[in-house]
């Protein structure tokens, strides 16, 4: 596809369950970012991948959160033992390369609701 | 820490009115500054950017000037249209970094005919 694709678009789950969110970046984009947007707030950075380099995980809020990316392809964000405060829209973005002159292209997000 | 503060919404305007959405930032070093827009039912899109002091970013009639002395990047448009109704986010990325974005909370703009 032409843009960043995320799935599922919506996820409702019970507290304590694990969830996995998927992001397909634009083909050829080496940089991939995950953000979280809580209701009425701006986006919070979670994690960054660049090629085969070690990811920057500095934004992950707890050890229940993890993410993987193989090479320059799909990424998955996993939240274990979900809590109600995890409810948010999770957005993925990719760019051709890192740096301010390379715009980030965002997916439509996954809306996660924890009951 | 590094942060972005933008005016709270919603901002409600009539068509053809002048728009200003204020944005100020706190950052170490020399950040790049961005405005992103999220139209109803759509994903986040880059609207404009400025990468150094006194640069002016512009797109679709919107403008913003990077003011280092006031640490501001206010968004302006001379004559808004109903189709400009959206949520606008101010953001920065830090120099020497890899473009991790730090966002403001967003400002919802509603334009009425």
């Amino acid at each position: 596809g032409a843009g960043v694709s995320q799935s599922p678009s919506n996820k409702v789950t019970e507290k304590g369950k694990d969830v996995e969110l998927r992001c397909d970046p634009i083909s050829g984009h080496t940089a991939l970012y995950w953000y979280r947007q809580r209701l009425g707030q701006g986006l919070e950075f979670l994690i960054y991948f660049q090629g085969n380099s070690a990811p920057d995980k500095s934004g992950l809020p707890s050890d229940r959160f993890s993410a993987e990316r193989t090479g320059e392809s799909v990424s998955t964000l996993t939240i274990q033992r979900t809590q109600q405060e995890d409810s948010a829209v999770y957005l993925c973005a990719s760019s051709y390369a890192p740096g301010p002159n390379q715009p980030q292209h965002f997916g439509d997000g996954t809306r996660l609701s924890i009951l | 820490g590094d942060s972005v503060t933008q005016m709270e919404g919603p901002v409600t305007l009539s068509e053809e009115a002048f728009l200003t959405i204020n944005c100020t930032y706190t950052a170490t070093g020399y950040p790049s500054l961005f405005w992103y827009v999220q139209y109803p039912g759509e994903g986040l899109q880059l609207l404009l950017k400025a990468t150094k002091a006194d640069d002016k970013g512009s797109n679709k009639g919107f403008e913003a000037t990077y003011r280092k002395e006031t640490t501001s990047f206010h968004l302006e448009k001379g004559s808004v249209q109903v189709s400009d109704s959206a949520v606008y986010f101010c953001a920065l990325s830090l120099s020497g970094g890899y473009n991790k974005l730090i966002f403001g909370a967003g400002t919802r703009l509603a334009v009425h005919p």
Side-chain angles (χ1 to χ4, degrees):
Chain A
V4 176
S5 177
Q6 291 188 245
S7 61
S9 54
N10 284 283
K11 177 72 176 177
V12 180
T13 192
E14 293 179 348
K15 177 182 170 181
K17 301 287 189 184
D18 297 352
V19 295
E20 188 175 277
L21 313 180
R22 177 187 169 103
C23 173
D24 269 288
I26 293 172
S27 178
H29 280 197
T30 64
L32 186 146
Y33 308 79
W34 282 98
Y35 295 89
R36 176 173 70 177
Q37 184 178 22
R38 286 178 162 148
L39 188 64
Q41 298 184 24
L43 283 71
E44 306 168 71
F45 166 78
L46 296 177
I47 189 168
Y48 158 76
F49 295 91
Q50 169 59 33
N52 292 315
S53 303
D56 179 344
K57 306 179 182 180
S58 61
L60 295 179
S62 78
D63 59 8
R64 296 186 294 105
F65 288 72
S66 62
E68 294 184 349
R69 186 187 188 198
T70 304
E72 297 178 1
S73 62
V74 169
S75 175
T76 55
L77 176 69
T78 301
I79 309 173
Q80 295 179 310
R81 306 181 302 282
T82 52
Q83 303 295 313
Q84 288 188 331
E85 66 261 25
D86 300 334
S87 296
V89 177
Y90 289 82
L91 288 158
C92 176
S94 70
S95 64
Y96 180 71
N101 291 318
Q102 298 294 336
Q104 293 185 27
H105 299 265
F106 283 81
D108 289 340
T110 294
R111 184 175 300 276
L112 177 64
S113 301
I114 310 299
L115 302 178
Chain B
D2 306 306
S3 65
V4 175
T5 302
Q6 58 183 109
M7 64 189 289
E8 289 188 21
V11 174
T12 304
L13 295 173
S14 297
E15 209 165 22
E16 299 183 3
F18 184 86
L19 169 71
T20 299
I21 300 178
N22 289 339
C23 171
T24 57
Y25 66 90
T26 302
T28 53
Y30 301 95
S32 295
L33 302 173
F34 305 82
W35 278 99
Y36 278 80
V37 59
Q38 189 169 32
Y39 297 103
E42 298 185 18
L44 207 61
Q45 304 171 27
L46 177 64
L47 179 60
L48 53 84
K49 69 177 183 182
T51 57
K52 62 182 188 295
D54 299 325
D55 269 3
K56 178 186 286 187
S58 61
N59 186 25
K60 299 183 180 180
F62 290 89
E63 293 183 339
T65 301
Y66 189 142
R67 301 286 188 201
K68 186 169 180 290
E69 63 275 15
T70 54
T71 62
S72 65
F73 193 55
H74 304 320
L75 182 68
E76 297 182 337
K77 186 173 185 182
S79 176
V80 293
Q81 304 300 312
V82 172
S83 57
D84 294 325
S85 298
V87 181
Y88 292 82
F89 293 91
C90 185
L92 68 82
S93 69
L94 299 170
S95 60
Y98 44 77
N99 208 24
K100 174 181 80 172
L101 292 167
I102 297 170
F103 284 85
T107 302
R108 182 175 298 278
L109 170 66
V111 180
H112 298 291

